[in-house]
Amino acid sequence: MDNTPAAGLLVLAGTPIGNTEDASPALLRALTEADVIAAEDTRRLHGLLGRLGITISARVVSYFDGNEAARAGELLAALAEGKRVVVVSDAGMPTVSDPGYRVVAAAVEAGLPVRVVPGPSAVLVALALSGLPTDRFCFEGFLPRKGGERRRRLAELATEQRTMVFFEAPHRLPEFLTDATAVLGEGRRASVSRELTKTYEETRRGTLAEVTDWAADGVRGEITIVIAGAAASALSVVDALPLVAERVAGGEPFSAAVASVAADSGLPRKALYQAALAARKDPR
C-alpha cells in the first residue's frame, strides 16, 4: 500500500487593497480551508480576518521580502506533505511587487499544483481610472530609490509606447514626478491615484508638470502612478541626429536645437540630447 501523501496545493490569494467588502467568497473559502497561511504581515492578516468575521485553523507563518528565500523551502515541504498552503500579501495579488515568486517557481519546478484566487489589483484599478490607453500597458513597479538610478531607468523607458504603471512611496512621490517630468517631458499625460477603494480615494490627472505641482507639498496614502507611453515617431533617435547637427551648424544653440527637433519629431528630448551629445564627442 502506498502511504505517500497526495500532493498539496499552493494558492495565491488576492486580498482587498482598501475596501474589505471587495473580499470574494473564494478568498474566505481559501483562508478557512488552508492548512498553512504564509502572510506578508501576520498582524495585518489577523486584522483582515477580524474584519471578515472568519476563524481559521491554519498555521500562520510570516512570508516577506526578508525571509522569502529561506521560507520558500519550508512551504515547499508542506506542499510535499499534502498541505494546502495559501499565500497572501498585505493587499492585492502576491508576486506583484510582493512576496510569492520564489515559492511559485519552486512549486512549478517540483511539479506541484498552483492555483490563484483573483482579487483587487491596484495596477488595474489605477489604469482604468487614469483615462489613458489601456489596450497595451506595462507594469514597472517600484523604480530605484536613488535619484541617479531612477533617472537612468526612466531614460530607458523614454521611448516605451505602452502606458506605464508604477508604484511609489508617498514620501518619494515628488522626487519621482520631478524626475519623470525632466526625463519624459512636462507635457506627457499622467495620473496619480492614492488610497484606491478607500474612503478618501483620489485620482489626479493631467500633464506630468501639472501632477508634479500638485504633489510638491506632499501626498498621503498608497500611491499608483500611470504615465502615457511615448508618441509613435516616424524618426528614430539616430535618424534625428543630422537634423540636430544641421540646426547647430546654422547657429542655433545645441540645447535649443535638440529641443526643437524633439518637439517636431515626438522623440524624447533627453534621449535625443544624450545621443546627440555622444555624436558630437565622437563624430565618426
Side-chain angles (χ1 to χ4, degrees):
M1 180 177 179
D2 186 359
N3 293 319
T4 303
L9 176 64
L10 178 65
V11 180
L12 304 176
T15 54
I17 59 176
N19 185 354
T20 304
E21 293 180 356
D22 289 337
S24 68
L27 171 62
L28 273 63
R29 185 166 60 252
L31 293 171
T32 55
E33 293 179 354
D35 297 305
V36 180
I37 299 177
E40 184 178 8
D41 186 319
T42 58
R43 291 171 299 181
R44 288 200 176 191
L45 170 64
H46 287 295
L48 175 63
L49 295 174
R51 293 193 300 276
L52 293 176
I54 61 175
T55 302
I56 62 170
S57 59
R59 177 169 63 93
V60 176
V61 299
S62 63
Y63 187 61
F64 56 95
D65 288 339
N67 74 354
E68 183 179 6
R71 186 73 81 185
E74 176 184 334
L75 298 179
L76 197 67
L79 291 170
E81 293 171 1
K83 304 293 186 183
R84 181 180 290 260
V85 177
V86 175
V87 177
V88 295
S89 60
D90 289 348
M93 181 58 62
T95 75
V96 181
S97 280
D98 280 325
Y101 162 73
R102 286 184 173 86
V103 70
V104 171
V108 170
E109 180 68 21
L112 296 170
V114 181
R115 298 287 184 271
V116 169
V117 174
S121 164
V123 175
L124 297 181
V125 173
L127 181 66
L129 287 171
S130 70
L132 297 172
T134 60
D135 54 337
R136 298 176 66 239
F137 69 93
C138 60
F139 174 58
E140 292 293 326
F142 288 94
L143 293 194
R145 297 184 180 186
K146 294 182 179 179
E149 295 177 6
R150 182 171 57 241
R151 288 187 289 274
R152 281 191 291 274
R153 181 67 187 125
L154 285 166
E156 293 173 358
L157 294 169
T159 56
E160 172 59 66
Q161 294 184 18
R162 294 172 294 179
T163 301
M164 297 170 283
V165 185
F166 304 85
F167 287 160
E168 189 52 279
H171 64 279
R172 289 195 298 271
L173 179 62
E175 290 77 11
F176 175 99
L177 291 174
T178 297
D179 287 344
T181 300
V183 175
L184 303 178
E186 62 181 20
R188 186 81 71 98
R189 304 294 298 178
S191 74
V192 179
S193 295
R194 69 181 192 92
E195 299 292 84
L196 288 171
T197 76
K198 298 179 183 178
T199 302
Y200 298 104
E201 175 185 304
E202 181 180 16
T203 294
R204 285 290 180 126
R205 306 171 186 87
T207 64
L208 274 173
E210 290 168 343
V211 296
T212 299
D213 287 344
W214 165 74
D217 293 331
V219 177
R220 294 183 179 181
E222 300 292 328
I223 303 294
T224 307
I225 306 155
V226 185
I227 300 178
S233 173
L235 284 179
S236 69
V237 169
V238 173
D239 292 335
L241 294 180
L243 300 179
V244 175
E246 182 180 340
R247 285 176 175 270
V248 172
E252 191 170 349
F254 177 72
S255 294
V258 169
S260 297
V261 173
D264 292 343
S265 65
L267 291 167
R269 183 190 60 78
K270 187 160 187 175
L272 180 58
Y273 181 91
Q274 291 174 339
L277 188 62
R280 291 185 81 185
K281 293 177 179 179
D282 185 7
R284 290 177 297 173

